[in-house]
Structures are given as C-alpha cells and as structure tokens.
Amino acid sequence: MNELDSELVTGALRALGYRFVSEPDEAGVVLYNTCSVRERAEQKVWSRLGEMALRKAREPGLIVGVLGCMAEREGEALLKRMPVVDVLVGPGELDKLPGLLDNAVKTRASLAQEDEALRLLATPELEKPDVSLLRSAGESALQGNTHRRSGTLAAAQDTLELLDLSRAVSAIDGGHGASAYVRITRGCNKFCTYCVVPFTRGAEMHRPPDHIVDECKRLADAGVIEITLLGQTVNHYRFEHGSAVVVGGVTQPQKGRAYVHKAGEFADPYRGERVTTFADLLARIHEEVPGIRRLRFVTSYPRSFGDDVLGVIRDHPRICRYLHVPAQSGSDRMLGLMNRGYTVAEYEEFLLRARAALHQPQIGRPLTVAGDIIVGFPTETEEDHQATARLLERARYKNCFIFKYSPRPGTIAIEKLPDDVPEAVKRRRNNELLALQNRISDEVGREFVGQTMEVMVEGVSRRDVKRAKAASAAVAGGVTLTIGGRAANGAMGHVHEGDEADAACASGGGGVDGAGGVVQLSGRTEGDLIVFFDQPKGAAADDLVGRIVRVRVGEARMLALMGRMVEEGD
Ligand code: SAM
Ligand code: SF4
C-alpha cells in the first residue's frame, strides 16, 4: 500500500515540475513515507530524522516531510519532538501534499533568511551543530481519529480519490515496468486489537468500479501486464450503485458495510444488479482489460471469503491462483483476543474450500497460499504457540510472514493487554516458526520440480546484481547497472533517476554478466513462487524483462525454484 502511495505522490509532484534524485543528499526536499504497523519501522524513521536535523542545521533551506501512517499516528506532537520536519501528511490526506509543500518552500525561504540562529548554525566550522534551534515550517494535513468518515461525511467530496484518478501511468511519468498496483479499498473497519491501520488509514472505503477498471485500462495501455489489486480486506469489496454519490461529476468512494453472510451461504449477501461485489469486479477487469495477463489481489480476510470469488478465479484464466490470507494464530484463544472474528476450524474450512475449487496441479494450475502469523501476542502460552505450529503444518503455505508482536500506541491491545511475553520468548518462538515454515516452503517448492511453469521475468537475480556491482566498483568510473533503462536490482519498478542516460554495463561492454558471461534472471510464477534461470544464449535480457516466459523447474532451493527457460521448439 505504501509503495503505491509513494508512486502516486511521486507522479503528482513530477507533474508539478519536481525532479527526483537517487541520493537523499542531493535533494532539496526529503520525504519519508512511513509505516506504523510495527515499532521497528518507526524507529528507523526517528533515526533518519535525527540525521536530517544535523544536515538542516547546515542547510537551512532543506525541507523535510513525513508522510503516511506515522504522521497520522503521531500527529502534531511529531513536529514538536522533531522540528526538523516541515510537512506532515497522513495517508488519508496525501492529495494535499503538493499545496503544503509549496507553502513549506516559501515559509522555509523566509525562515532561513530571517533566522539568525539558523544562519549561525549553517557555518561549517561547527562540528556538531545545535539542532535545538530548528524551526518547523509547520505544514500539516491529518485526518485525526475523530474525523473517521461517517455515513454523512462519505457524502462529502473525497479528494484523496482524485490522487488515484490523476495517476500518471506513462513510462515518462516514472514508469512501473510491467507490474503495477491498483487500490480498490482504503482503510479498514476490522479493528484487530493489535493493529494501528484502522486508526491511521481510517474507515474502510471502496472505490467506484468504473474508476478501478479505467485505471487498469490506462495501465494496460502503458504496457503493464500484471496488476495487483490492493486493500486490507480486498474480498470484502462491494460498491452499491443505488447509493452512489456524485460530487463535481466524480463518483465518490463508498463506506464499507458489515459483510455478514447467512450460515451455509458463501457469497456476498448484497449481490444483485445494482451492486458490484468483489467477484463482479474481478470478472469485469478480466473481461474489459484483456491486456492484463495476470490479475492478483492482496490481502484477503479469512472470514466471509465467498464461493462466488473462488468461482470467478477458477473460470477466468488470467486471474492468478494465489491467495495471501493471514491466519495470525493457530489458537482460538489468541484469535479471540485479537478480535479476528473466526476460529482456527473456520480458517481451515476456508483453505479446504479454496483448494477444492482452485488447486488443479494436473492442469498446471495449482493454488498457492501465503500467510501471516504474529508470535508473542499477550498471554500467548507454549500451548498456543504449539497450536500455531500445527496450523502451519496443516496449512502448507508457500511462504508465511512471521512477526513478533509489537505493541502499538492507540490500539486496543496496548490499552487492555499487558505485553507479557518476554522478548527472548518471542524471539525463540519466531525462530521456531521460521525454521518450520522454511522446511514447509522447501517441500511445497519441491512439488514443482519437473514442471514447466509460466514465469514473469522481473530482472537480473540479486546474485548477479551483487556480482556486477562488485565488478562495477572494481572498474574506475563504473556506472549504475541497468537493464532496459531500469535499475538491475532483481526487482521491478525501482527506477533510478538518470539510469536511462547512464545505461551501460558494469564491466564496460554490453550487458550485465554473471558467471561465464551468462546472466541469471529472476521472475515469479502465477502462484508468486520465485524462479531463477539463466538467460538463454542469443536472447537479450532487456527483451525478456517484463515478459512471461516458460521455465522448466529443475530444482527447489529453500524459497526459490531453479530452472531453465524453455524456448519454442524445445
Ligand atoms: N489486513 C491484513 C489482514 O488482516 O490480514 C494485514 C495488514 S497488516 C498491515 C500486515 C500484517 O502485519 C498483519 O497480517 C499482521 O500479521 C502484522 N501486524 C499488524 N500489526 C502488528 C503488530 N502490532 N505487531 C506485529 N505484527 C503486526
Ligand atoms: Fe489491521 Fe485487522 Fe484491518 Fe488487517 S484486518 S488491517 S490486521 S485491523
């Protein structure tokens, strides 16, 4: 979600004439897009802000901004604690950033001029400048908890939607390669007791389906072939056309309604002609945007995942058979305390239902599932922990993110449940589950050995990027590595400014070479499995990146598959 926010903000600023540089030291404006889900992520930002304060004491014109969940969670207190920050924008107000930045540029200019202290601090002979005199330009846009959108407010104009609608999609506007995110739902109404998201991102809002489909079409026209639909609980997407509100000619996003289903019925109870359900949305994108060869979505909520959605995935070949559906724990007692709203048995019933509908390895269409687990949630006993281990054994995720519980200010858990599992116990449980999941991932991977799979090529493998970087460092005047004008970093979408101009190889001659002149490429299957394979002789890596190729899997190693690209006639 943060990656998409950054892309949207970058596009909006670029359109206003801001230029982007690859090194923060070269920037006159430094913006941090932040996450508050775990404390560690916030600690990193605090320490970066400390470094920025030292820099600003020497460069009074520097503008620093904090965007996203940390801005919303900390609020104006952040400006008091860190006056180096000039701009503070919550995730629900990102459309306001250009205006605030404009104000901040003007305010900074006058602050820097008139502030004697800042001028003094700017003198280079001071080794460690006094940052206590820094003053913030004080530009902020936050929603605040009290502003969670109500039914009435939903009728007011949702200006954040305009940011999504004005998304710049052409390659010149920043480029996202062959893969892109599209938001369908913002915010969350679930209030899991450990989670800050409902407080920082606000109430669950569903974007109008026409906006989503148009965005997908624009992305497909710009060369995107894979789209991942985003939301905290994507499968609860629903847009009721009968109650759509239009302001200034723009259909407004709609507040999420409780998603309840009758016992034994697994489909959106509100489905009908005047409603677009999640299943309808998937089918619409599949049909109306044929250029999208892979359609994915994250994250799914295990409760109320309809058979209608599973049916649409089964019947539409370009919808990926991949689900990221976090369980969080294998203990009913923990799930209750977390307010997840389902039991372990219900979670597993869903997995069985999903696999029955979608796991078809015999036709080359297996279903892969990924999960999330939190260890060390308050009062978690060894018995609860073992129950989670047993769930991992049964769930057979292709991978699972395992997090140590991090108490977050403002959440229900921090108020009501003391963080009583010692850090050392959390660490041990985390390591145990990681080791277990690694073994399971390995076993899941081995099921694919011998198969030929479609792989979307993302770039040069990390191994070869490292090798090439080392070679580049050894060559005087070595330049940034690029493949097809994109940074050769093994992942798509990370465009380094200036790469196009600098495009050249590490060793000075025509391509990034791995061992023996062969480049190892990496890509992903429909089921999100990572695959490494060597660039075939005679094929240019540039031409393969962003394409779907066929790879025969020869080996499974930990979390990745190793294979050989199968060419026509092979
Ligand atoms: N909406 C998704 C869902 O409910 O499955 C997850 C979104 S959350 C931003 C991503 C993951 O972070 C969660 O699935 C959970 O495992 C983890 N997480 C959230 N809050 C946490 C906390 N306070 N401590 C540790 N992990 C946390
Ligand atoms: Fe957080 Fe729960 Fe919402 Fe996911 S569903 S974002 S974990 S509150």
Side-chain angles (χ1 to χ4, degrees), residues 188 190-192 194-195 197-198 232-233 301 340:
C188 184
K190 300 291 175 291
F191 289 97
C192 302
Y194 50 79
C195 186
V197 171
Q232 296 299 345
T233 54
Y301 198 71
R340 288 290 286 181

mmCIF file of all heavy atoms in Angstrom, residues 188 190-192 194-195 197-198 232-233 301 340, ligand 2:
data_model
loop_
_atom_site.group_PDB
_atom_site.id
_atom_site.type_symbol
_atom_site.label_atom_id
_atom_site.label_comp_id
_atom_site.label_asym_id
_atom_site.label_seq_id
_atom_site.Cartn_x
_atom_site.Cartn_y
_atom_site.Cartn_z
ATOM 1 N N CYS A 188 -9.665 0.455 6.942
ATOM 2 C CA CYS A 188 -10.092 -0.852 7.471
ATOM 3 C C CYS A 188 -11.072 -0.637 8.628
ATOM 4 O O CYS A 188 -10.893 0.272 9.435
ATOM 5 C CB CYS A 188 -8.878 -1.632 7.958
ATOM 6 S SG CYS A 188 -9.319 -3.284 8.522
ATOM 7 N N LYS A 190 -11.925 -3.434 10.602
ATOM 8 C CA LYS A 190 -11.952 -4.690 11.343
ATOM 9 C C LYS A 190 -11.476 -4.541 12.792
ATOM 10 O O LYS A 190 -11.827 -5.337 13.640
ATOM 11 C CB LYS A 190 -11.105 -5.759 10.619
ATOM 12 C CG LYS A 190 -11.587 -6.075 9.221
ATOM 13 C CD LYS A 190 -12.921 -6.796 9.230
ATOM 14 C CE LYS A 190 -13.476 -7.017 7.845
ATOM 15 N NZ LYS A 190 -13.920 -5.824 7.119
ATOM 16 N N PHE A 191 -10.650 -3.601 13.057
ATOM 17 C CA PHE A 191 -10.171 -3.357 14.433
ATOM 18 C C PHE A 191 -9.624 -4.602 15.117
ATOM 19 O O PHE A 191 -10.026 -4.929 16.230
ATOM 20 C CB PHE A 191 -11.277 -2.717 15.290
ATOM 21 C CG PHE A 191 -11.549 -1.299 14.906
ATOM 22 C CD1 PHE A 191 -12.592 -0.981 14.042
ATOM 23 C CD2 PHE A 191 -10.752 -0.263 15.378
ATOM 24 C CE1 PHE A 191 -12.828 0.327 13.649
ATOM 25 C CE2 PHE A 191 -10.980 1.048 14.995
ATOM 26 C CZ PHE A 191 -12.019 1.351 14.135
ATOM 27 N N CYS A 192 -8.703 -5.287 14.465
ATOM 28 C CA CYS A 192 -7.970 -6.343 15.162
ATOM 29 C C CYS A 192 -7.245 -5.622 16.310
ATOM 30 O O CYS A 192 -6.730 -4.514 16.116
ATOM 31 C CB CYS A 192 -6.976 -7.010 14.210
ATOM 32 S SG CYS A 192 -7.820 -7.701 12.778
ATOM 33 N N TYR A 194 -4.503 -5.634 17.825
ATOM 34 C CA TYR A 194 -3.076 -5.268 17.794
ATOM 35 C C TYR A 194 -2.763 -4.200 16.760
ATOM 36 O O TYR A 194 -1.636 -3.719 16.694
ATOM 37 C CB TYR A 194 -2.229 -6.514 17.474
ATOM 38 C CG TYR A 194 -2.742 -7.261 16.254
ATOM 39 C CD1 TYR A 194 -2.454 -6.809 14.979
ATOM 40 C CD2 TYR A 194 -3.569 -8.372 16.385
ATOM 41 C CE1 TYR A 194 -2.962 -7.453 13.860
ATOM 42 C CE2 TYR A 194 -4.072 -9.029 15.278
ATOM 43 C CZ TYR A 194 -3.765 -8.559 14.017
ATOM 44 O OH TYR A 194 -4.278 -9.181 12.913
ATOM 45 N N CYS A 195 -3.722 -3.829 15.919
ATOM 46 C CA CYS A 195 -3.392 -3.166 14.656
ATOM 47 C C CYS A 195 -3.697 -1.667 14.629
ATOM 48 O O CYS A 195 -4.788 -1.231 15.035
ATOM 49 C CB CYS A 195 -4.151 -3.874 13.538
ATOM 50 S SG CYS A 195 -3.698 -3.279 11.917
ATOM 51 N N VAL A 197 -3.804 0.102 11.778
ATOM 52 C CA VAL A 197 -4.313 0.538 10.472
ATOM 53 C C VAL A 197 -5.671 1.251 10.529
ATOM 54 O O VAL A 197 -5.849 2.316 9.920
ATOM 55 C CB VAL A 197 -4.314 -0.646 9.467
ATOM 56 C CG1 VAL A 197 -5.028 -0.287 8.177
ATOM 57 C CG2 VAL A 197 -2.883 -1.084 9.176
ATOM 58 N N PRO A 198 -6.668 0.729 11.271
ATOM 59 C CA PRO A 198 -7.956 1.438 11.280
ATOM 60 C C PRO A 198 -7.831 2.872 11.823
ATOM 61 O O PRO A 198 -8.630 3.738 11.482
ATOM 62 C CB PRO A 198 -8.825 0.584 12.214
ATOM 63 C CG PRO A 198 -8.195 -0.770 12.169
ATOM 64 C CD PRO A 198 -6.723 -0.522 12.029
ATOM 65 N N GLN A 232 -6.890 -3.756 2.493
ATOM 66 C CA GLN A 232 -6.590 -4.519 3.715
ATOM 67 C C GLN A 232 -7.426 -5.785 3.777
ATOM 68 O O GLN A 232 -7.002 -6.791 4.341
ATOM 69 C CB GLN A 232 -6.854 -3.654 4.967
ATOM 70 C CG GLN A 232 -5.961 -2.446 5.076
ATOM 71 C CD GLN A 232 -4.489 -2.797 5.163
ATOM 72 O OE1 GLN A 232 -4.117 -3.933 5.419
ATOM 73 N NE2 GLN A 232 -3.636 -1.813 4.945
ATOM 74 N N THR A 233 -8.620 -5.724 3.232
ATOM 75 C CA THR A 233 -9.515 -6.891 3.226
ATOM 76 C C THR A 233 -10.204 -6.905 1.846
ATOM 77 O O THR A 233 -11.399 -6.665 1.747
ATOM 78 C CB THR A 233 -10.571 -6.772 4.342
ATOM 79 O OG1 THR A 233 -11.237 -5.511 4.183
ATOM 80 C CG2 THR A 233 -9.955 -6.790 5.715
ATOM 81 N N TYR A 301 -9.163 -11.437 3.644
ATOM 82 C CA TYR A 301 -9.542 -11.685 5.036
ATOM 83 C C TYR A 301 -10.205 -13.062 5.085
ATOM 84 O O TYR A 301 -11.090 -13.351 4.274
ATOM 85 C CB TYR A 301 -10.519 -10.603 5.507
ATOM 86 C CG TYR A 301 -10.628 -10.522 7.001
ATOM 87 C CD1 TYR A 301 -9.580 -10.013 7.749
ATOM 88 C CD2 TYR A 301 -11.755 -10.975 7.666
ATOM 89 C CE1 TYR A 301 -9.650 -9.945 9.128
ATOM 90 C CE2 TYR A 301 -11.849 -10.911 9.053
ATOM 91 C CZ TYR A 301 -10.785 -10.393 9.770
ATOM 92 O OH TYR A 301 -10.853 -10.326 11.136
ATOM 93 N N ARG A 340 -10.218 -11.383 15.725
ATOM 94 C CA ARG A 340 -10.170 -11.694 14.301
ATOM 95 C C ARG A 340 -11.525 -12.160 13.775
ATOM 96 O O ARG A 340 -11.768 -12.158 12.569
ATOM 97 C CB ARG A 340 -9.105 -12.766 14.022
ATOM 98 C CG ARG A 340 -7.698 -12.268 14.155
ATOM 99 C CD ARG A 340 -7.305 -11.301 13.061
ATOM 100 N NE ARG A 340 -7.079 -11.939 11.779
ATOM 101 C CZ ARG A 340 -6.708 -11.280 10.675
ATOM 102 N NH1 ARG A 340 -6.561 -9.970 10.695
ATOM 103 N NH2 ARG A 340 -6.522 -11.907 9.544
HETATM 104 FE FE1 SF4 B 2 -5.211 -4.498 10.666
HETATM 105 FE FE2 SF4 B 2 -7.011 -6.399 11.100
HETATM 106 FE FE3 SF4 B 2 -7.546 -4.398 9.411
HETATM 107 FE FE4 SF4 B 2 -5.761 -6.258 8.738
HETATM 108 S S1 SF4 B 2 -7.941 -6.570 9.087
HETATM 109 S S2 SF4 B 2 -5.541 -4.039 8.536
HETATM 110 S S3 SF4 B 2 -4.798 -6.704 10.663
HETATM 111 S S4 SF4 B 2 -7.251 -4.228 11.590
#
